Amino acid sequence: MEDIPSSSAEKSSVLLAERHGHLLLLTLNRPDRLNALSPELHEALFVQINAAAIDPEVRAVAVTGAGRGFCSGGDLGGGSRERLTQEARIDHMLHHAEANRLLHEMPKPTIALINGAAAGAGLALALACDMRVAANDAMLTTAYSKVGLSGDHGATYFLTRLVGPSRASELMFLSGRVGAEEALAWGLVNRVVPAASLQEEGLAFARALSEGPPVALRLMKRNIRAAVSGTLVENIEREAAAMIRCTKTEDIKEAMVARREKRKPEFLGR
């Protein structure tokens, strides 16, 4: 494990950043508030994720929470009481949502390791990632309707694409609680592991992704994102172009040599 170079996120204890090989692990660190998203934590997340998106040494990003919960959502009781216009408040919210957009769109695998509760904006943060590994005691809820709010940070976008509009409507309108096994059955999470081994198993899963072929993975992610709204013909054409691009990389040559030598390939991302 390596320390990350100093950044604004490092100077704040609300977010911990650790490097595990080519994997960047970000830990929300407000356990006394169930890792509620304060303005400071929002900004720290954005700084780290924005930097990771273009850092060639970071090939995958994982997000988890310190203590007994992943993230309880927005910190409704914290932050400045400064009077802002509605437009300024919207601008702040849009900026805070940038971390989710980057997790969803960056050309690298992103993984949420869900320990305990993921609620409201915390659930949106987890859903923004490509994949989710949940502890068996994890609990997911939109929570918005319980406090008279309509949802933010892409929650409706991610839910609708993962479980369809009918089930997304139920989750948003009623703010029911979804346990880990039910979330797995619904497709909200990819894997469920014992709570005691979430860190170990989740990190192993994420690190395996970080050791994959970077060029191929970025093209896979692009194709998957495009498939949601594109046509079959468009996707077949996009896949063909991506495959030809992969055949020109050093990584495919390394994979062939490693297979011949019966060893694990060491991909370079070029």
Side-chain angles (χ1 to χ4, degrees):
M1 181 179 72
E2 306 167 27
D3 292 332
I4 307 299
S6 178
S7 73
S8 61
E10 252 56 56
K11 294 173 184 176
S12 169
S13 62
V14 298
L15 183 69
L16 306 179
E18 300 170 338
R19 190 75 61 81
H20 298 257
H22 291 294
L23 171 69
L24 174 64
L25 174 65
L26 300 176
T27 303
L28 312 182
N29 191 39
R30 300 185 72 210
D32 56 322
R33 299 282 297 173
L34 284 177
N35 300 313
L37 293 163
S38 63
E40 184 184 12
L41 180 50
H42 271 301
E43 187 62 23
L45 269 172
F46 171 74
V47 168
Q48 284 288 347
I49 295 169
N50 191 47
I54 59 173
D55 184 348
E57 292 302 310
V58 175
R59 299 182 183 176
V61 177
V63 183
T64 192
R68 59 191 180 88
F70 177 78
C71 178
S72 60
D75 190 350
L76 301 179
S80 171
R81 299 299 180 188
E82 177 186 358
R83 289 181 179 273
L84 298 174
T85 65
Q86 286 199 12
E87 289 72 21
R89 293 175 66 189
I90 290 170
D91 288 342
H92 276 276
M93 184 167 287
L94 291 174
H95 177 66
H96 290 163
E98 276 296 286
N100 285 16
R101 183 188 66 78
L102 286 166
L103 285 170
H104 185 65
E105 294 184 353
M106 74 163 66
K108 304 173 184 186
T110 57
I111 310 97
L113 308 180
I114 306 174
N115 51 312
L123 176 61
L125 176 64
L127 299 182
C129 295
D130 299 319
M131 288 165 283
R132 286 151 294 283
V133 179
N136 61 350
D137 62 355
M139 184 279 294
L140 282 58
T141 179
T142 61
Y144 296 111
S145 67
K146 299 289 187 184
V147 291
L149 295 172
S150 58
D152 57 2
H153 295 183
T156 51
Y157 178 92
F158 299 126
L159 276 174
T160 301
R161 279 156 177 75
L162 284 169
V163 300
S166 180
R167 190 154 270 168
S169 297
E170 178 183 348
L171 292 169
M172 291 296 295
F173 295 166
L174 299 177
S175 292
R177 296 185 171 203
V178 181
E181 292 298 337
E182 189 174 20
L184 180 64
W186 286 11
L188 286 169
V189 302
N190 298 76
R191 300 185 181 192
V192 174
V193 301
S197 60
L198 174 65
Q199 190 80 353
E200 178 184 356
E201 294 190 43
L203 277 179
F205 177 70
R207 189 157 186 176
L209 289 168
S210 75
E211 294 171 353
V215 175
L217 291 181
R218 73 182 289 143
L219 293 172
M220 288 177 190
K221 182 166 179 173
R222 187 192 68 175
N223 290 344
I224 291 167
R225 292 284 174 265
V228 173
S229 58
T231 67
L232 174 59
V233 171
E234 289 170 342
N235 241 60
I236 288 175
E237 291 176 349
R238 190 176 290 108
E239 287 173 346
M243 285 286 282
I244 297 304
R245 183 175 172 186
C246 286
T247 64
K248 302 300 182 181
T249 64
E250 291 183 28
D251 283 347
I252 192 171
K253 298 174 185 176
E254 164 62 11
M256 291 177 177
V257 172
R259 183 176 181 180
R260 193 163 55 243
E261 296 177 352
K262 297 182 179 181
R263 60 173 175 80
K264 184 178 179 180
E266 297 181 6
F267 296 114
L268 300 174
R270 57 177 186 263

